[in-house]
Amino acid sequence: MAAKKSQQFQPVETLHAIEEKFEMVQILNEEGEIVNEEADPKLSDEDLQELMRRMVFTRILDQRSISLNRQGRLGFYAPTAGQEASQLASHFALTKDDFILPGYRDVPQLIWHGWPLHQAFLFSRGHFMGNQMEEGLNILPPQIIIGAQFIQAAGVALGLQKRKKEAVAVTYTGDGGSSQGDFYEGINFAGSFRSPAIFIVQNNQYAISTPRELQTSAKTIAQKAVAAGIPGVLVDGMDPLAVYAVTRDARERAVKGEGPTLIETLCYRYGPHTMAGDDPTRYRTSDTDSEWEKKDPLIRFRKYLEAKGLWNEEKENEVIEQAKDEIKAAIKKADSAPKQTVTNMLEIMYEEIPFNVQEQLDIYKAKESK
Amino acid sequence: MAQMTMVQAITDALRTEMKDDENVLVFGEDVGNNGGVFRATEGLQKEFGEDRVFDTPLAESGIGGLAIGLGLQGFRPVAEIQFFGFVYEVMDSISGQMARMRFRSGGSLNSPVTIRSPFGGGVHTPEMHADSLEGLMASQPGLKVVIPSTPYDAKGLLISSIRDNDPVIFLEHLKLYRSGRQEVPEESYTIPLGKADVKREGTDLTIIAYGAMVQESLKAAEELEKEDFSVEVIDLRTIQPLDIETLVASVEKTGRAMVVQEAQKQAGIAANIVAELMDRTILSLEAPVLRVTAPDSIFPFSQAEQVWLPNSKDIVETAKKVLTF
């Protein structure tokens, strides 16, 4: 006789019930039509155009960065094409007082927050002047240790809260990053202190070659917010209006003292993981690529704006030309940065130079003056 | 002046700094209402409020991240890691992050964090409580590592550590918390980081030690005095950076030296000191610089501590080898 099924608890049903709650927020469909009128953030015409301008600029920046990298004129570079809505529409919901803790792919948000383009290029090349942050520019350099930015964001957010500032800490990671311990600790700490933090997971489907499904059997990454007892939102990461709306909403709740939010943006990177030899054809099919290309945030936003009479080819070309000019000027400026010395490296170690460093400074100063 | 144990001197230093600088925040596991598992933060939450002294969730890595983030908002975090054996959970925040903050930002940002953490053997703690892991910290550029051995040093060094604008690892030996009392000024005072202290003057041999091994070295020096050996005992106080000047001056005077640490031979910082002395004092040396250390096993099961931890007998034995080489 089969064992009698327990009627006392239903763990599987509970799991499914939770998963059902994390429906994807979408406002603009692939055709550029508003499908969720109620959630439409109702941006002004100028804001809509500015957001499109930034997205186009950033797509060009990505294309130029890849080609500059191939020419050896840039170093480390993590492609961003496909993630413009995730990166720039979320950033568009922030103010200058908000503090950004980026991952290594999140250079565009920093640029639009005020990081000079030539410094971003120096970061890519590996020059300390790239990371010298001007006073009042609320960003950290891109974080290479996946997850570290999350626990640090909890700290920055607590700092803002203690300073009683009307600002938030915003941090980004990828789908792979959601498997890290620091990811969980970060959202849990911010939840425990009810700190003003926005945690954004850009789920671009792959962590290098490892597909999202291999990271976790959780149906969404947004539902991981449940473990921290904080709100989680799954959003169409190829939809600028939806990303903007959910980020703005999270920001409003955070500055009101209602704590952090975890946002999962469902998106796709068209390029390789980084320009350091990754070949996506080893782990991705062209079918998947073209399926996601149809969802391109630029295509749908362009359609949307054109229908409203706010965008045309001429405007787009203007942005493209402007981007190319600015990139050219920035690369030139980066070229003019002085060569780094060991003395430079030693001098930025401590405020008060300890004995061993001073001794080595003297040695290298003598060497460098020869 | 007041008679204080080392743990009282530590509490006193924290109180002094919290009064002087409203940016100083104290946090960690059970440091608030409970006053810390060793009472090191006793009474601070009551005096300064939950906004300045607070408990955290049980996650060392998160505590490290919290300290970094608060540092970026202009605070001066004094975070506690309950036992330094748990540092592995927070190695990235310490070595991978705060140690590098000033450097990686080209000097534009910093991490003015003090990490307080107890360690050290001799009190039969469970696994991973007593390990001497200062060698890991000392090998990370960007950090300073401080280990006091007396109440007086503990207060002055902790105040200096908190005021330092770069990250400092402040390691408190469990056995020294309440092992003795000393006169400690009630007012604020500092002891410069990176400065050793000659705890006993001598002319025949220099013993270089830190942490609980300072007391053992002083005991050994007394034993050796009975045999007419005059031993100088130097307490490093800061193990990174080293006070090379004081070490060299002493060894040039005595011509013989040894280094004493509680950590295993392959760990700690003794090898570092031997190397520095080879570089700088070889022409003054009458004998090789020997080391007293623990054996290269994992920190012992608590019942084996007594046979495993180095003590004054080991020091006397090695000292005689150096003295009669």
Side-chain angles (χ1 to χ4, degrees):
Chain A
M1 203 176 89
K4 200 180 157 195
K5 267 197 183 167
S6 168
Q7 298 300 308
Q8 305 301 311
F9 55 94
Q10 284 132 2
V12 177
E13 289 76 359
T14 303
L15 172 68
H16 291 157
I18 289 168
E19 285 171 345
E20 293 308 311
K21 302 282 183 194
F22 290 87
E23 272 180 58
M24 186 173 79
V25 177
Q26 190 189 57
I27 293 172
L28 212 52
N29 68 12
E30 289 170 33
E31 300 310 317
E33 298 154 353
I34 298 276
V35 292
N36 188 344
E37 185 67 40
E38 227 171 284
D40 183 354
K42 302 273 186 324
L43 283 165
S44 70
D45 289 353
E46 292 71 31
D47 279 348
L48 288 169
Q49 285 168 318
E50 175 59 17
L51 181 52
M52 183 64 181
R53 200 178 72 79
R54 292 183 184 189
M55 286 171 49
V56 172
F57 189 110
T58 304
R59 177 65 60 88
I60 299 302
L61 177 62
D62 183 69
Q63 289 168 0
R64 291 297 303 138
S65 296
I66 287 172
S67 106
L68 287 161
N69 167 281
R70 291 202 171 117
Q71 295 163 31
R73 299 188 69 197
L74 281 181
F76 173 75
Y77 182 69
T80 59
Q83 299 188 204
E84 290 84 358
S86 281
Q87 296 185 319
L88 304 172
S90 60
H91 176 262
F92 204 64
L94 309 181
T95 75
K96 287 282 175 205
D97 292 333
D98 297 333
F99 196 107
I100 304 177
L101 298 96
Y104 51 76
R105 201 180 300 283
D106 302 310
V107 169
Q109 296 95 304
L110 304 184
I111 291 169
W112 292 109
H113 214 56
W115 199 23
L117 197 49
H118 75 277
Q119 282 194 285
F121 289 155
L122 285 171
F123 158 77
S124 163
R125 288 176 176 182
H127 195 300
F128 76 98
M129 285 179 162
N131 289 1
Q132 282 178 328
M133 299 309 174
E134 216 170 278
E135 178 99 41
L137 175 57
N138 294 315
I139 63 172
L140 279 182
Q143 178 59 252
I144 299 297
I145 301 302
I146 296 170
Q149 69 272 37
F150 265 50
I151 49 174
Q152 291 172 22
V156 170
L158 183 61
L160 294 168
Q161 182 182 349
K162 286 187 181 296
R163 297 282 186 217
K164 298 188 168 51
K165 284 190 187 161
E166 254 198 43
V168 297
V170 186
T171 187
Y172 296 83
T173 192
D175 39 310
S178 70
S179 300
Q180 290 278 1
D182 282 350
F183 166 87
Y184 292 100
E185 290 188 25
I187 62 175
N188 187 57
F189 267 58
S192 155
F193 293 113
R194 287 180 79 83
S195 301
I198 303 176
F199 297 98
I200 300 179
V201 177
Q202 297 181 77
N203 172 6
N204 66 14
Q205 318 293 323
Y206 286 89
I208 307 189
S209 66
T210 307
R212 144 75 180 84
E213 291 68 34
L214 224 119
Q215 297 297 339
T216 172
S217 47
K219 195 176 160 199
T220 68
I221 292 170
Q223 77 195 63
K224 287 172 184 280
V226 175
I230 66 171
V233 190
L234 171 63
V235 62
D236 182 349
M238 307 299 259
D239 170 1
L241 294 183
V243 173
Y244 174 83
V246 300
T247 314
R248 187 178 69 177
D249 179 63
R251 191 181 182 282
E252 273 168 17
R253 277 185 297 104
V255 294
K256 267 196 277 175
E258 291 170 19
T261 304
L262 178 68
I263 298 171
E264 173 187 3
T265 68
L266 203 61
C267 57
Y268 198 74
R269 69 166 149 83
Y270 298 142
H273 164 68
T274 66
M275 294 305 292
D278 176 43
D279 172 13
T281 63
R282 292 169 74 105
Y283 53 84
R284 263 183 353 209
T285 64
S286 55
D287 281 357
T288 326
D289 283 354
S290 52
E291 181 197 322
W292 278 93
E293 272 156 22
K294 276 184 244 150
K295 298 179 200 256
D296 193 315
L298 293 183
I299 295 175
R300 74 174 79 174
F301 204 37
R302 191 183 289 126
K303 281 183 182 165
Y304 172 67
L305 293 186
E306 277 173 353
K308 284 173 86 87
L310 294 173
W311 201 255
N312 54 38
E313 214 181 316
E314 194 189 323
K315 275 195 167 55
E316 181 140 341
N317 285 333
E318 232 171 78
V319 181
I320 293 171
E321 287 316 309
Q322 192 203 349
K324 286 180 176 168
D325 288 349
E326 283 185 29
I327 291 163
K328 215 186 224 174
I331 275 286
K332 216 170 152 194
K333 199 165 174 189
D335 288 343
S336 71
K339 260 197 173 170
Q340 300 172 95
T341 65
V342 175
T343 301
N344 293 151
M345 301 301 98
L346 291 168
E347 279 172 345
I348 54 179
M349 282 302 303
Y350 298 90
E351 180 182 61
E352 283 175 51
I353 298 177
F355 179 85
N356 56 322
V357 175
Q358 185 58 53
E359 207 174 53
Q360 293 161 30
L361 253 178
D362 295 341
I363 292 168
Y364 281 96
K365 269 184 187 164
K367 273 192 192 182
E368 288 160 12
S369 66
K370 268 179 200 163
Chain B
M1 294 285 237
Q3 286 282 327
M4 290 188 200
T5 60
M6 191 168 92
V7 73
Q8 286 169 334
I10 286 165
T11 315
D12 197 48
L14 291 170
R15 183 180 292 115
T16 305
E17 280 314 277
M18 293 203 75
K19 265 189 207 156
D20 274 9
D21 182 352
E22 61 181 18
N23 290 315
V24 175
L25 302 176
V26 170
F27 54 91
E29 295 157 9
D30 312 295
V31 303
N33 181 40
N34 191 45
V37 290
F38 296 104
R39 303 288 169 260
T41 53
E42 176 85 28
L44 295 181
Q45 191 181 66
K46 211 169 221 177
E47 190 174 344
F48 298 100
E50 288 176 30
D51 198 41
R52 307 246 344 251
V53 182
F54 52 95
D55 294 322
T56 65
L58 204 167
E60 287 74 19
S61 191
I63 291 170
L66 210 61
I68 294 167
L70 287 164
L72 289 167
Q73 287 302 311
F75 288 101
R76 203 166 273 284
V78 184
E80 181 179 302
I81 302 299
Q82 202 161 70
F83 292 94
F84 207 56
F86 312 162
V87 72
Y88 295 114
E89 298 283 349
V90 62
M91 276 296 277
D92 179 57
S93 279
I94 295 174
S95 296
Q97 305 290 330
M98 57 181 80
R100 308 169 71 99
M101 183 66 79
R102 185 181 294 279
F103 180 83
R104 76 186 288 258
S105 66
S108 63
L109 304 169
N110 68 333
S111 219
V113 176
T114 302
I115 302 276
R116 284 185 45 249
S117 188
F119 79 109
V123 292
H124 301 294
T125 50
E127 205 173 1
M128 292 293 286
H129 283 56
D131 297 56
S132 288
L133 302 173
E134 69 278 7
L136 296 175
M137 300 289 110
S139 64
Q140 174 59 55
L143 297 178
K144 293 174 185 165
V145 187
V146 175
I147 304 183
S149 77
T150 67
Y152 179 86
D153 287 350
K155 180 172 173 181
L157 287 167
L158 183 52
I159 292 176
S160 295
S161 300
I162 294 171
R163 291 183 187 175
D164 201 283
N165 285 326
D166 291 303
V168 178
I169 311 301
F170 191 88
L171 298 176
E172 305 166 1
H173 200 291
L174 285 164
K175 205 181 165 187
L176 301 179
Y177 266 153
R178 293 181 175 84
S179 67
R181 288 175 182 273
Q182 192 184 18
E183 289 282 329
V184 175
E186 273 157 279
E187 67 275 10
S188 176
Y189 65 93
T190 57
I191 295 172
L193 304 186
K195 284 276 170 270
D197 184 39
V198 179
K199 288 277 193 283
R200 178 193 170 104
E201 290 194 21
T203 52
D204 297 333
L205 167 69
T206 301
I207 297 183
I208 299 157
Y210 61 96
M213 291 301 110
V214 174
Q215 289 305 318
E216 294 300 315
S217 299
L218 287 168
K219 260 191 251 170
E222 262 172 52
E223 284 300 309
L224 289 160
E225 195 181 19
K226 290 176 191 161
E227 297 180 41
D228 279 338
F229 293 117
S230 164
V231 176
E232 181 143 304
V233 177
I234 297 180
D235 180 356
L236 285 174
R237 301 197 296 195
T238 299
I239 63 145
Q240 174 63 38
L242 291 169
D243 180 358
I244 297 291
E245 225 172 283
T246 300
L247 299 183
V248 168
S250 175
V251 174
E252 279 177 351
K253 178 178 71 176
T254 61
R256 294 172 198 269
M258 56 189 277
V259 189
V260 185
Q261 69 179 18
E262 181 176 322
Q264 295 89 336
K265 192 166 196 176
Q266 70 184 62
I269 54 142
N272 217 356
I273 295 167
V274 174
E276 292 289 351
L277 294 179
M278 287 302 104
D279 283 355
R280 299 164 197 270
T281 64
I282 193 153
L283 295 177
S284 308
L285 288 170
E286 303 286 342
V289 181
L290 298 188
R291 286 173 279 170
V292 175
T293 70
D296 284 333
S297 77
I298 299 295
F299 190 91
F301 292 93
S302 60
Q303 288 197 326
E305 272 188 334
Q306 220 187 333
V307 294
W308 189 90
L309 287 168
N311 59 30
S312 62
K313 276 187 192 156
D314 302 313
I315 299 169
V316 168
E317 204 181 294
T318 303
K320 284 185 178 167
K321 279 188 202 160
V322 179
L323 284 160
T324 60
F325 179 78

